[in-house]
Amino acid sequence: MRALDLDFMLGLVPILLGYLPLTLFMAVISMVCALVLASLLAMERVARIPVLDSIVVLFISFFRGTPLLVQLFLFYYGLPQMLPFLTNMTGVQAAIIGLTLHFSAYMAESIRAAIIGVDRSQWEAAEAVGMTRMQMMGRIVLPQAARVAAPTLVNYFIDMIKSTSLAFTLGVTEMMGATQKEAAGSFLYFEAFIVVALIYWAIVEALSFAQKRLEFSLNRAFTR
C-alpha cells in the first residue's frame, strides 16, 4: 500500500478553493430563486386554486420524484433539441435552473407545512380586524411560518451546495470539475477526492453551526 502524497494534497487545496466562489454563486442564486418559487407554490397549495393546483401538484411530484442528475441532463442536453433558442444556454445556467426547480419542489412542501401550522386563531384574528388575504399572509402568517421553516430551508441550502458538484457533468469547472481534472492529470485520484471531500465537509460544518445559531436566535423569544 502506497503512502498518501501529502504535498500534492496541500498544493491542491488553494487550487480547489479558487473555484469555491463559482460553487457558492450557483448555490446562492439557486437558493434565492428556489425560495421565491417555493413560496409561491406553497401559497397556492394552501389556497388550492382550481386547475392551477393540479398543475402545481404535478410540478412538485415530478421534481421530487426524479433524480436531480436526470433533470440537469434534461435541461442542458434535452431541451435545446426541442427549443432551439436554448442552444446557447451555458452549463452554469442549466445547473442553476435545475437546482432551482428541483429544490423549490421540496421547499414548497416545507413552507406549506409551516404555513398551515400557524395557529388558526391567528388567521381568524387577522380576518376579524379586516385584513385582506394578502395582508394576512404578509403581516401575520408568513413571518410566523418563516421561523418554523428556516432551519429546514438552511438544510436544503446545505444540500444545494453539495448538489452543485453535479454541475461538472454539464462541463462546468467548479470544485468537483477541477478535482476531476487535477486527479486525471496526476493519477492521484484518492488524494484529490479526499481533499475536495474535506472542503465540502468544512463548508457544511460551518453552515450547520450557523443554522444552530439561527435556530437559537429565532426561538429565543419563545423560550423565555
Side-chain angles (χ1 to χ4, degrees), residues 16-17 19-21 23-24 27 154 157-162 164 175 195-211:
L16 297 186
L17 289 179
Y19 294 92
L20 179 58
T23 294
L24 295 178
V154 174
F157 180 59
I158 291 173
D159 287 341
M160 195 175 288
I161 288 179
K162 292 186 288 186
T164 58
M175 282 204 302
V195 171
V196 75
L198 291 175
I199 292 176
Y200 277 115
W201 187 19
I203 295 170
V204 169
E205 285 300 306
L207 289 173
S208 297
F209 175 78
Q211 178 193 30

Side-chain angles (χ1 to χ4, degrees), residues 54-73:
S54 298
I55 296 174
V56 171
V57 169
L58 181 63
F59 172 91
I60 293 174
S61 176
F62 176 80
F63 284 100
R64 284 167 61 98
T66 56
L68 175 57
L69 184 59
V70 173
Q71 294 166 17
L72 293 177
F73 279 15

Side-chain angles (χ1 to χ4, degrees), residues 31-78:
M31 184 65 186
V32 171
C33 295
L35 185 57
V36 173
L37 178 57
S39 298
L40 295 175
L41 294 173
M43 286 190 287
E44 192 290 321
R45 290 290 290 129
V46 172
R48 294 186 177 277
I49 302 171
V51 181
L52 181 58
D53 190 56
S54 298
I55 296 174
V56 171
V57 169
L58 181 63
F59 172 91
I60 293 174
S61 176
F62 176 80
F63 284 100
R64 284 167 61 98
T66 56
L68 175 57
L69 184 59
V70 173
Q71 294 166 17
L72 293 177
F73 279 15
L74 178 64
F75 294 133
Y76 189 61
Y77 297 111

Side-chain angles (χ1 to χ4, degrees), residues 35 39 42-43 46 107-119 122-123 136-153 214 218-219 222:
L35 185 57
S39 298
M43 286 190 287
V46 172
M107 292 163 60
E109 289 299 289
S110 296
I111 295 173
R112 181 183 70 86
I115 290 175
I116 63 178
V118 174
D119 194 280
Q122 301 287 320
W123 300 69
M136 183 194 312
M137 293 298 290
R139 299 179 183 178
I140 306 296
V141 179
L142 288 181
Q144 294 183 67
R147 182 184 67 84
V148 176
T152 304
L153 296 179
L214 176 63
L218 291 175
N219 292 325
F222 295 86

